[in-house]
Every structure is written in C-alpha cells, then in structure tokens.
C-alpha cells in the first residue's frame, strides 16, 4: 500500500478516535428522574425540570457538553450583575418535537468584582429578591425579570496557570419566569477567569 | 519477556514448596480491615474454605472465600434551596463491600517442628508457612446506603453509588500452626484488577488485611 495513503488513513483514524472521546458526563440522579446528580467534578452539565420536563445542555461528540455563557454586566448602579446562560434541550429523546431554550440566571455582585473575588461566591444562597432567571428561545442577557433562588454549594480553583485560572462551580437553582416553572436545577461546570472579561 | 516473568512467578512456588504435608480441607474465619480506603474504616468478616489435595500436587491449595461487610461509614453533605430549612446537613453514608474469591495458591513451609506431647499418640505441630495466591478471581459488590434524610428538599453533593465489578487479584499469607489442626493466618489481598467506572467515587475496591483462625481436617493417608 502507498505509504502516504497509509499515513493519511492513520491520521483519519486518530482524528475519528479523538472525536469519539468526548464524553457526555451525564450521571442520572436516582431521586430526580432525568436530572444529573449534584456533582463538583467540572462535568459541564446543567439539568433542571422546566414545567416538569427534564432539560439538559446539548452534547456533541466533537466538543462534549455545551458550555455556558458567563459574564458581568455594568448596571450603572452600586452593584454589577453576573450572569450564567445555557442552551437547554429536553433530556428525553422520545419527545417528537421540542423547542430549545436559553436559561439565564443572574445575581448581583460588588461593583469592582474581580477574579480574586470569585471564590467569595462559594456558599452564597440568594433568594428570589436578589436573583433573577430568564427562559427564552433566543439568548438575551439584558432583559432578565423572572425570580430565582440559587445556592452556590461549591466553588474552587480547578487549575491555576500562569495566564489564567480555571474555576469549578456547582450550584442548585430554581425559579419562575412568566408561566414557566424551573425546579430542581443543578449545574457543575468549569470556567476561566478570562470569561468574566479580566 | 513479561510472559516469561509471569510463568516463572507462577511456577517458582511449586519448585520451592516442600512435598511433605498431608492433604486436607480447611475452614477459616476472622476479621479483616481494608487497607485501600484508609480514610473510610471498612471492615469485613471473611469465611474461607480451602482444599489441599494430595502431596503429588506440591503444595497447591484451592481457595474459596466469601466476605461480608460489618462496618464502613463515612458522611456526605446535602444542600437545599428551601429557605425555611437549614441550608445544609450531614448525611451518614454506609459503604458495604461484599466480595467473593476463587483461586489457587501455593503453600511453602519454611519451618517445621513436630514434638511429642505428654499423652501418647498426640503430637504438637509448630510450623511457619508462606502461602502465595497468585491466580485468583475476585468479585466485589459494593453497596452504598444513606441514612434517612429529606430527599425531596435536599441533594447530596457528589453522591456515591454502588458498584458490582470483578477481576483478577493476588494474595499473600503468613501462617503459623499452633496445635493439631489449628493455625493462625495473616493474609493480605490486592484489590481486583478492574475499573470502578467513569463516575468518580469516594472509595476504591477493598484490599483487606485478614487475621484468620484456620482449622484443618487432615485426610487419611493411603497405605
């Protein structure tokens, strides 16, 4: 066989093997059918019941679980707003039709919030007076008016590099947005400090 | 090369063992402490059945063991969003490993004294022996239970789940015969060569250190 062709086939095989390596990292919770367990391993998974239907962030074999959008909004008041947003789909392949949703949770942080303050969010439990939630078909982090509860149960430094620090964050959340009720939400993801614009 | 080393390791005890002992069946039991999960104190109660066939087989022992758990507790933290409840609570976690083992070993006696006791016909046997079990198969069923808590409001962070896996493992034992038929054995097992799966658990396969009291029933020699 032509050596060039053999190398090409090997490279293709290697790439296919690498693509197949992306893992779903969905471990079902025995007490909440369709939802993932509450974990602190950086699985990049978010699940919640939306009007009683289990939803999860999408997965593809190339990139794994879809990552959240995370950022800070300068509100022009004494506090800024941090938001976390995911694309969500039903965690039930038996459904014949469904609509993708963007779930956004926001909460206030101090005006001069920096990457050094991130760890101070660990253990923070905010009720519906302080946290907000949005559920829309399109991503829009500027118009969040639903009420939410969020409890950040774990926030640690996952890896610390010369240029960037990676954090691992786990939380429980629920909320009401218009006629939609979000219950038993939980997430476990990793993010870079640079995602917040530092 | 690796295969040669493995073959030598398997056959070496055969060459070293002394072909003097009678065939016997033995029963053993005692406590065991897991050495592979030092953070969680896990204890087991092994029950062992052994058969040593005739001296022709040069110290070969067939070994069957079943181990029941009798303690292994840890704790986990559960969290809630409900503002009317405490935001977190500790939940007791019980890790209960059942295991079974089947395999063969080799008996290498390295010190043996037979003294006549006062009563005629009775002998006191004092012998130290090394027992190597290089080829065994082990299955471990590890059950995880949580003490009762409010499951509708609380979620445990990083909950453990039970597992049922198995694979090859090995063991080594030092035994000392204390009187006719009775011996004390200190045996260490490796964990089975298997994966616990992709979900991270707070425990590993158990690798017990056992202190066993063994009773041998010798079979009559043919004349």
């Amino acid at each position: 066989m032509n050596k060039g062709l053999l190398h090409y086939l090997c490279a293709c095989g290697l790439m296919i093997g690498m693509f197949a390596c992306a893992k779903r990292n969905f471990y079902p919770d025995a007490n909440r059918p369709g939802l993932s367990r509450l974990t602190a391993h950086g699985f990049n998974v978010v699940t919640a019941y939306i009007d009683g239907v289990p939803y999860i962030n999408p997965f593809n074999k190339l990139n794994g679980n879809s990552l959240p959008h995370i950022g800070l909004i300068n509100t022009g008041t004494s506090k800024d707003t941090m938001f976390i947003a995911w694309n969500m789909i039903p965690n039930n392949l038996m459904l014949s039709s469904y609509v993708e949703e963007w779930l956004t949770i926001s909460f206030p942080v101090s005006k001069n919030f920096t990457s050094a303050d991130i760890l101070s969010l660990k253990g923070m439990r905010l009720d519906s007076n302080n946290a907000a939630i949005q559920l829309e078909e399109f991503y829009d982090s500027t118009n969040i008016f639903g009420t939410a509860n969020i409890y950040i149960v774990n926030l640690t430094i996952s890896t610390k590099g010369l240029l960037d620090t990676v954090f691992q964050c786990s939380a429980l959340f629920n909320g009401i947005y218009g006629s939609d009720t979000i219950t038993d939400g939980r997430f476990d993801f990793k993010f870079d400090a640079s995602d917040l614009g530092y | 090369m690796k295969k040669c080393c493995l073959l030598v390791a398997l056959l070496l005890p055969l060459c070293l063992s002394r072909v003097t002992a009678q065939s016997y069946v033995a029963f053993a039991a005692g406590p065991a402490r897991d050495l592979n999960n030092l953070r969680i104190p896990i204890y087991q109660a092994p029950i062992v059945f052994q058969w040593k066939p005739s001296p022709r087989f040069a110290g070969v022992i067939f070994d069957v063991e079943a181990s029941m758990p009798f303690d292994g507790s840890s704790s986990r933290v559960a969290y809630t969003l409900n503002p009317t409840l405490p935001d977190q609570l500790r939940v007791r976690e019980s890790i209960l490993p059942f295991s079974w083992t089947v395999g063969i070993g080799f008996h290498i006696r390295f010190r043996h004294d037979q003294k006549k006791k006062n009563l005629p016909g009775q002998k006191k046997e004092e012998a130290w022996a090394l027992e190597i079990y290089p080829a065994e198969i082990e299955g471990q069923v590890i059950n995880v239970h949580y003490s009762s808590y409010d499951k509708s409001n609380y979620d445990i962070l990083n909950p453990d789940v039970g597992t049922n896996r198995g694979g090859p493992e090995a063991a080594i034992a030092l035994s000392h015969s204390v009187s006719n038929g009775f011996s004390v054995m200190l045996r260490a097992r490796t964990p089975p060569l298997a994966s616990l799966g992709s979900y991270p658990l707070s425990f590993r396969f158990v690798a017990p250190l056992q202190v066993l009291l063994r009773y041998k029933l010798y079979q009559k020699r043919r004349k």
Side-chain angles (χ1 to χ4, degrees):
Chain A
M1 190 186 281
N2 186 334
K3 254 190 176 177
L5 181 63
L6 189 66
H7 287 165
Y8 175 75
L9 288 175
C10 286
C12 285
L14 191 64
M15 284 176 74
I16 289 167
M18 284 168 69
F19 291 162
C21 282
K23 283 178 66 185
R24 182 63 168 128
N25 282 334
F26 172 73
Y27 298 99
D29 185 337
N31 301 323
R32 315 257 191 275
L35 302 190
S36 63
R37 296 169 198 156
L38 176 63
T39 56
H41 299 299
F43 286 155
N44 291 327
V45 67
V46 54
T47 53
Y49 291 122
I50 298 176
D51 296 328
V53 177
Y55 273 68
I56 189 169
N57 52 334
F59 166 78
N60 72 54
K61 286 195 171 180
L62 183 60
N63 298 318
N65 294 341
S66 69
L67 299 175
H69 290 235
I70 181 167
L72 286 171
I73 300 169
N74 188 336
T75 58
T77 63
S78 62
K79 294 224 167 188
D80 282 345
T81 297
M82 179 182 274
F83 71 89
I84 312 166
W86 292 269
N87 187 14
M88 303 279 280
I89 59 169
N91 190 16
N92 183 355
L93 297 176
M94 300 304 284
L95 289 177
S96 55
S97 66
Y98 61 86
V99 179
E100 283 192 15
E101 303 275 7
W102 276 95
L103 179 81
T104 308
I105 299 169
S106 68
F107 49 87
V109 291
S110 59
K111 191 72 186 168
N112 299 311
F113 193 83
T114 67
S115 59
D117 301 319
I118 289 174
L119 289 178
S120 68
L121 299 175
K122 183 178 179 180
M124 185 186 74
R125 187 161 81 158
L126 294 172
D127 61 16
S128 52
N129 295 322
N130 291 302
I133 198 163
Q134 184 193 56
L135 196 65
E136 289 289 347
E137 287 178 40
F138 302 100
Y139 172 56
D140 174 15
S141 63
T142 58
N143 184 28
I144 304 171
F145 60 83
T147 56
N149 295 289
I150 182 165
Y151 185 4
I152 298 177
V153 299
N154 192 66
L155 209 165
T156 53
I157 294 174
S158 178
T159 52
K160 193 165 189 171
L162 284 174
L163 299 174
D164 207 357
T165 304
V166 178
F167 294 91
Q168 184 280 321
C169 182
S170 303
L172 294 168
F173 64 90
N174 61 24
I176 297 170
Y177 182 77
S179 61
D180 295 315
T181 307
I182 298 106
T183 52
D184 293 319
R186 69 277 318 275
F187 61 72
D188 171 15
F189 73 97
K190 286 181 180 173
F191 65 98
D192 291 351
S194 60
D195 293 340
L196 291 166
Y198 303 124
Chain B
M1 185 63 188
K2 275 184 184 173
K3 281 182 182 171
C4 282
C5 291
L6 189 67
L7 197 65
V8 169
L10 286 171
L11 294 179
L12 190 64
L14 274 175
C15 305
L16 292 174
S17 53
R18 290 174 54 178
V19 191
T20 52
Q22 262 177 281
S23 63
Y24 62 78
V25 291
F27 300 92
R33 166 70 157 95
D34 173 37
L35 299 181
N36 205 25
N37 293 285
L38 291 176
R39 195 182 61 79
I40 310 163
I42 295 176
Y43 294 91
Q44 286 183 306
I47 299 167
V48 183
F49 170 76
Q50 291 183 324
W51 175 50
K52 185 174 175 296
S54 68
R56 277 202 307 275
F57 292 98
V60 171
I61 303 169
F62 292 93
D63 182 70
V64 178
E65 180 191 307
S67 290
M68 310 291 164
F70 64 85
D71 193 19
S73 60
S74 176
S75 71
R76 286 266 171 249
V77 182
Y79 298 90
T80 184
L81 273 172
N82 190 332
T84 62
L85 295 170
D87 57 352
Q88 55 180 270
L89 54 85
R90 284 214 163 261
V91 179
R92 189 173 182 273
E93 181 185 60
S94 299
I95 297 165
L96 302 170
F98 295 83
S99 62
W100 57 264
T101 309
V102 179
I104 58 165
F106 303 98
H107 178 99
I108 306 164
R109 183 178 291 172
F110 54 82
R111 184 166 169 247
H112 186 232
D113 297 323
Q114 274 197 345
K115 297 173 187 170
K116 279 196 173 177
K117 285 187 80 178
N118 295 336
L119 293 170
Q122 281 195 359
K123 285 176 183 174
K124 187 184 178 188
E125 187 181 307
E126 283 185 3
W128 286 90
L130 186 69
E131 293 173 21
I132 299 169
Y133 303 86
E136 297 205 310
I137 298 290
E138 181 175 12
Q140 291 195 4
V141 179
I142 303 177
N143 292 329
V144 177
H145 298 293
Y146 291 100
S147 59
S148 64
Y149 68 99
D150 181 359
K151 288 178 184 168
S152 60
N153 279 304
Y154 284 90
D155 285 281
I156 294 174
L157 182 65
N158 296 328
D160 282 322
V161 290
T163 180
N164 180 2
R165 308 271 172 126
E169 58 93 43
I172 189 163
L174 183 69
S175 72
H176 177 56
S177 299
V178 286
S179 68
N180 258 359
F182 280 101
S183 59
V184 177
M185 183 160 66
L186 184 69
R187 179 155 77 169
R189 289 197 173 283
T190 65
L193 195 64
S195 163
L196 274 170
S198 58
Y199 179 70
L201 298 167
S202 71
F203 58 84
R204 295 181 279 188
F205 285 119
V206 295
L209 178 69
Q210 306 168 331
V211 181
L212 301 168
L213 182 64
R214 179 168 60 182
Y215 182 66
K216 295 175 187 171
L217 286 166
Y218 290 99
Q219 291 169 334
K220 285 181 183 173
R221 280 181 180 147
R222 283 181 198 163
K223 289 188 178 176

